[in-house]
Amino acid sequence: MFILGITGGIGTGKSTVLEILKTEYNAYILEADKVAHLLMMPGKRAFNEILAVFGEDILTEDGTIDRNILGKRVMSDRRSLEKLNGIVHPAVKEYIVKDISEIRRDSHGKSEGTDTRNLYVIEAALLIQDGYREICDEIWSVITSEDIRIKRLIASRGYKEDKAISFIKNQPEDEYFITNSDKVLYNNGSADELMDAIRGEIDRLWHIG
């Protein structure tokens, strides 16, 4: 099974890349942010650790963590954000490593290689920063020009232009992703152009398998 990491800044089109890999190549998709949400639910590993650090006033009436309250608290305090990341990110990584191990065990005896039926895709904004290089066979970064990213964030999330710019400026620059990736997908054109770029990279994986 080939482990592929997908990363990039906000508004670059990572979700579109994931959808193409899933629908066109039958890839197994795991989004780190969704795993984080799961692990913050009552009874899960990160839940009790978060409560121990931030207190029970972050809970909703039904006993779940109010992500809006928690988000506002950590965004205004870098040390609090670091504490939250120190709880959630290792738990997510442990979950992913276990998931990969279980899938490999279940598929033991089947043909391996870079067959896209055995393509496991991890998407995470902090894929590089959190050390997923040790897990992934390759890391691809999605790069898109800033003006296009701003327009997408305004259209898809309803952000004001200044908010979109603020989010982008608070993330690593393109060069960071380019330097720390095996391949780069430039997503400045049409959906067909992005599809062609992905097809070319998947074909390459087949040929080196």
Side-chain angles (χ1 to χ4, degrees):
M1 183 168 64
F2 193 87
I3 312 300
L4 174 62
I6 300 291
T7 191
I10 187 172
T12 55
K14 297 187 296 296
S15 295
T16 303
V17 172
L18 297 182
E19 184 63 24
I20 291 172
L21 290 170
K22 180 179 179 180
T23 59
E24 299 295 326
Y25 296 99
N26 196 31
Y28 179 92
I29 305 295
L30 189 145
E31 297 174 69
D33 192 48
K34 291 183 178 180
V35 174
H37 290 185
L38 172 66
L39 297 179
M40 290 171 65
M41 295 298 291
K44 299 297 183 180
R45 169 182 166 179
F47 179 82
N48 290 332
E49 294 183 38
I50 291 172
L51 288 190
V53 173
F54 295 96
E56 295 189 359
D57 59 333
I58 63 170
L59 295 178
T60 63
E61 292 184 357
D62 64 3
T64 59
I65 292 174
D66 189 318
R67 294 178 58 82
N68 288 328
I69 293 176
L70 182 60
K72 289 178 181 178
R73 184 173 300 181
V74 300
M75 287 305 170
S76 61
D77 184 345
R78 179 175 293 276
R79 291 187 66 184
S80 292
L81 178 60
E82 291 174 351
K83 288 179 181 179
L84 179 62
N85 288 341
I87 295 170
V88 176
H89 292 179
V92 170
K93 196 172 184 181
E94 180 181 305
Y95 177 99
I96 292 173
V97 170
K98 182 179 179 181
D99 192 50
I100 291 172
S101 178
E102 289 178 350
I103 291 175
R104 281 178 165 157
R105 184 190 63 226
D106 292 343
S107 62
H108 182 69
K110 297 180 182 180
S111 60
E112 287 284 345
T114 54
D115 186 327
T116 52
R117 289 170 296 180
N118 293 319
L119 181 59
Y120 187 108
V121 179
I122 305 168
E123 184 276 321
L126 299 179
L127 191 85
I128 298 167
Q129 297 92 320
D130 282 347
Y132 280 84
R133 168 66 66 184
E134 63 191 32
I135 297 173
C136 298
D137 295 302
E138 280 194 5
I139 291 177
W140 297 359
S141 283
V142 187
I143 301 295
T144 306
S145 65
E146 184 173 313
D147 61 325
I148 293 177
R149 293 170 67 183
I150 292 170
K151 290 177 182 177
R152 286 178 181 167
L153 292 173
I154 292 173
S156 65
R157 305 195 186 188
Y159 288 175
K160 298 294 185 181
E161 183 174 350
D162 58 344
K163 183 177 182 179
I165 293 173
S166 176
F167 269 98
I168 291 172
K169 295 301 183 184
N170 284 331
Q171 295 185 326
E173 296 183 354
D174 289 350
E175 189 59 34
Y176 175 82
F177 290 107
I178 294 170
T179 300
N180 291 282
S181 300
D182 298 294
K183 297 294 175 181
V184 175
L185 295 174
Y186 289 98
N187 186 23
N188 294 311
S190 66
D192 286 342
E193 289 174 321
L194 179 60
M195 174 76 79
D196 287 342
I198 293 173
R199 183 180 295 117
E201 295 301 339
I202 294 297
D203 286 347
R204 175 182 58 81
L205 294 182
W206 275 79
H207 284 109
I208 67 175

